Amino acid sequence: MPSRSLAGAALVTLCIGAFASDADVLAELRAFETQFAQFKQESALHIEQLRAKSAQRQADLQERLRQMEQAAEHRRLHTTQQEQIDYNTGNHTGNAEAIANLQSATNHTWLILCGALVMFMQAGFAMVESGCCRAKNVQNILMKNLVDVCVGTMCWWAVGWTLAYGIADEPNNAFAGDKQFFGMGFTE
């Protein structure tokens, strides 16, 4: 055991011996104390800056929240249930007219879309038929399909519309329509 205490004492002596004197050790301690005091001041200043930034951000967020709450009062989504009921029931005729106009526009759009699809279908038939015959007959096949489109369009104008949509205004249980043959009455 005495060898360990002698080794520890020798180590302490070597460490202390590295410094020339107690005055040098004291000077080093004072330098460390000065650096520590500067670090404390810089840290305190940095903490104060962070607190000021945090307070400013918190004030900005509270102002933004206040503005959003004021704006929310004027939004239609934030109305009371009674206001919504009054709005929906008080304007029932306007809503019915808007729904009827929307239904009519949707019907017309659907008819135009289906007509365009039929025309593309005719072009597809032309391609299939011309691919299934010899090259010398392709012109004849394409002409046949063009005539098919023209005759089909004329037949639709003459009687197709009437059968599909020419039902009289009074309620009846007709299977097919009986008005607007050859486009009669479209302008009325």
Side-chain angles (χ1 to χ4, degrees):
M1 214 51 167
S3 64
R4 281 189 182 176
S5 64
L6 285 176
L11 184 62
V12 170
T13 306
L14 279 173
C15 289
I16 293 175
F19 296 106
S21 67
D22 288 341
D24 290 339
V25 172
L26 229 69
E28 286 291 322
L29 280 174
R30 286 188 182 133
F32 283 131
E33 286 177 352
T34 306
Q35 287 178 355
F36 183 70
Q38 287 176 349
F39 177 73
K40 269 177 69 175
Q41 288 176 351
E42 290 172 1
S43 296
L45 180 63
H46 185 68
I47 289 172
E48 286 302 317
Q49 289 173 348
L50 288 176
R51 283 182 181 157
K53 280 184 182 178
S54 175
Q56 179 63 35
R57 284 185 182 170
Q58 188 174 11
D60 290 345
L61 287 174
Q62 286 177 349
E63 176 63 23
R64 177 86 171 133
L65 181 62
R66 187 187 61 76
Q67 290 173 355
M68 290 174 70
E69 286 174 350
Q70 286 178 349
E73 293 173 4
H74 303 293
R75 287 191 212 154
R76 228 174 91 193
L77 295 175
H78 292 282
T79 57
T80 64
Q81 188 174 12
Q82 186 59 41
E83 289 175 350
Q84 289 176 356
I85 291 171
D86 292 343
Y87 175 78
N88 289 335
T89 57
N91 196 12
H92 59 84
T93 57
N95 288 341
E97 291 172 10
I99 290 170
N101 288 339
L102 179 64
Q103 184 178 13
S104 176
T106 305
N107 287 341
H108 287 95
T109 304
W110 179 250
L111 285 175
I112 290 170
L113 175 69
C114 289
L117 290 175
V118 166
M119 294 302 156
F120 283 123
M121 185 176 68
Q122 290 293 333
F125 287 148
M127 295 298 111
V128 166
E129 291 176 18
S130 63
C132 292
C133 69
R134 294 174 59 181
K136 69 176 189 161
N137 296 327
V138 170
Q139 279 184 329
N140 294 335
I141 295 294
L142 293 177
M143 187 54 136
K144 179 191 77 76
N145 279 290
L146 181 63
V147 170
D148 183 33
V149 168
C150 293
V151 171
T153 302
M154 296 302 288
C155 289
W156 175 258
W157 170 74
V159 291
W161 175 269
T162 300
L163 295 175
Y165 301 106
I167 297 176
D169 292 333
E170 66 271 354
N172 61 13
N173 295 326
F175 173 73
D178 58 355
K179 291 177 62 176
Q180 300 175 339
F181 282 104
F182 297 96
M184 301 286 244
F186 273 175
T187 58
E188 294 176 3

